Amino acid sequence: MDTVAAVWEVLDLPIVIFLLLNFFLITASLLVYAERKVSAFIQERSGPNRVGPGGILQSFADVFKLMFKENIVPAQGNEFIHSLAPVLMVVIAMSTGALIPWARTPGGEALAIADIGVGLLVVLALTSVTVYGVTLAGWSSNSKYSLLGGLRSSAQMISYELAMGAAALSVVLYAGSLSLFEIVENQNHPVAGIFAWNVFRNPVGFVVFAVCALAETNRAPFDLPEAEQELVGGYHTEYSGMKFGMFFLAEYVNLWVASLLISTLFLGGYLLPWEALYAGAIPGVLLTILQVLFFLVKVSFIAFCFIWIRWTLPRFKYNQLMNLGWKYMLPISIANILVIAALVAGYQLLVG
């Protein structure tokens, strides 16, 4: 038994990481299927319905098709950077999920691969590096359309990262910590219940963060880096085969990660409604399982809203995109920080 325990102590983290990576891969495939089904419903079409029951295996069939497609690199392009860009985007997108707390363990700790005190800061840092993948993809292709898509993405991500960071800072002011676990626990109130969640305490921050997350993932109506009507296909115009598929894998993993972040920061994360009132009556392991399931429900709802928005709103023009980020989102998020800072300081003075 001692040998088994020693082996498990070495292998437990790699096994968990392996399972999480495969979970993200399967989730991305299911999100693609959900996107196609929801868009078909909105447009009164059938959507995928041939491969598997109800077309559920269509995404997996598409992956196999891409695996056998020819990998083409432009003759005048940079082959190494051309191959590095999609890998960079996928690796960064997958890494972010390691910092998200999925539940509270029976021992009162965070159920996460890496529970660090500055988790939110690391997540924002990782998401900001994604811009390099898009920019390098556009530059390495040696195509004007691809380069324009990459430059658009750089400007867009930098513009909206500022407002998104300011919206996240307003959450930090309430929690007094950069730890994602502590931010979730700060929303756990025995009396206020769900009304202690930041979506109610900080609605302006929620709206700003959600809009900026939509822009950061290059989803419509913020999909200017691709804009097929203007740029042929944007930064991935010169990509084919699995490298082309990896860009879409990264997009849907980023969509899932954005939903995870919104749920964690503003929807109470894994918390059940009014959990503090009855948590002691539920066995620890069962409570942890319920928290994971409820967290997945919240995240799935946010992901559905992202898909719903994509097939409802038209694309912005580029000047509208930049005006929204710099003239509206950033000033509103800064003003929101000042208001919340005043509220927190006033509350501390009254209590103290």
Side-chain angles (χ1 to χ4, degrees):
M1 292 299 293
D2 293 339
T3 304
V4 173
V7 171
W8 173 249
E9 189 174 348
V10 174
L11 295 179
D12 58 347
L13 188 58
I15 289 174
V16 171
I17 294 173
F18 174 79
L19 293 175
L20 184 64
L21 291 177
N22 281 275
F23 172 74
F24 274 126
L25 291 173
I26 295 172
T27 300
S29 300
L30 294 177
L31 281 175
V32 173
Y33 174 74
E35 175 111 61
R36 298 173 73 172
K37 277 295 188 181
V38 171
S39 65
F41 175 77
I42 291 174
Q43 299 173 345
E44 296 186 355
R45 298 184 287 107
S46 297
N49 57 4
R50 291 290 186 271
V51 185
I56 190 70
L57 299 179
Q58 181 65 55
S59 300
F60 300 96
D62 291 339
V63 172
F64 285 117
K65 177 184 71 174
L66 287 171
M67 289 174 63
F68 293 101
K69 290 248 180 206
E70 183 181 2
N71 176 32
I72 300 173
V73 180
Q76 300 302 317
N78 188 310
E79 185 174 356
F80 175 72
I81 302 297
H82 192 268
S83 301
L84 176 66
V87 175
L88 184 66
M89 291 190 67
V90 171
V91 169
I92 293 171
M94 294 283 192
S95 301
T96 310
L99 298 161
I100 304 294
W102 293 82
R104 188 193 315 108
T105 65
E109 300 174 351
L111 183 63
I113 291 178
D115 177 31
I116 57 179
V118 290
L120 179 58
L121 188 63
V122 175
V123 167
L124 293 177
L126 285 172
T127 54
S128 66
V129 177
T130 306
V131 67
Y132 289 102
V134 177
T135 309
L136 291 174
W139 174 82
S140 64
S141 299
N142 195 33
S143 163
K144 293 180 177 62
Y145 291 113
S146 299
L147 181 60
L148 281 173
L151 293 177
R152 277 185 173 188
S153 183
S154 301
Q156 175 177 322
M157 288 184 168
I158 291 170
S159 302
Y160 283 86
E161 273 170 9
L162 296 172
M164 187 169 73
L169 181 58
S170 65
V171 172
V172 174
L173 288 174
Y174 271 126
S177 172
L178 287 166
S179 167
L180 292 173
F181 179 63
E182 292 184 18
I183 288 174
V184 173
E185 290 298 322
N186 180 256
Q187 301 173 67
N188 190 15
H189 195 279
V191 178
I194 62 172
F195 297 105
W197 295 355
N198 285 324
V199 66
F200 296 105
R201 297 191 300 182
N202 185 9
V204 175
F206 168 72
V207 173
V208 171
F209 192 92
V211 172
C212 292
L214 200 61
E216 285 287 291
T217 53
N218 294 331
R219 302 269 304 173
F222 300 98
D223 58 339
L224 271 296
E226 299 171 24
E228 60 273 7
Q229 293 90 341
E230 306 166 40
L231 301 176
V232 184
Y235 60 90
H236 52 61
T237 300
E238 303 294 342
Y239 280 85
S240 62
M242 263 318 290
K243 287 197 289 189
F244 178 79
M246 289 175 73
F247 279 113
F248 284 93
L249 171 62
E251 177 183 332
Y252 283 96
V253 173
N254 281 325
L255 168 63
W256 186 250
V257 169
S259 303
L260 286 170
L261 269 179
I262 292 172
S263 301
T264 299
L265 297 179
F266 294 97
L267 298 180
Y270 52 77
L271 295 176
L272 305 175
W274 282 274
E275 178 186 304
L277 294 177
Y278 54 81
I282 302 177
V285 176
L286 178 59
L287 180 62
T288 299
I289 294 173
L290 290 175
Q291 287 176 340
V292 172
L293 295 177
F294 199 64
F295 188 39
L296 289 175
V297 170
K298 293 179 185 177
V299 177
S300 300
F301 174 73
I302 296 295
F304 166 75
C305 290
F306 277 10
I307 295 172
W308 185 8
I309 290 170
R310 174 177 180 177
W311 296 99
T312 304
L313 300 179
R315 178 184 298 132
F316 287 113
K317 293 191 293 184
Y318 192 67
N319 63 315
Q320 294 173 330
L321 176 87
M322 301 306 288
N323 284 338
L324 179 65
W326 287 103
K327 294 184 179 179
Y328 295 96
M329 288 297 167
L330 185 58
I332 288 172
S333 59
I334 292 174
N336 187 52
I337 289 175
L338 297 177
V339 170
I340 290 179
L343 291 174
V344 172
Y347 175 78
Q348 289 178 347
L349 288 174
L350 288 174
V351 173

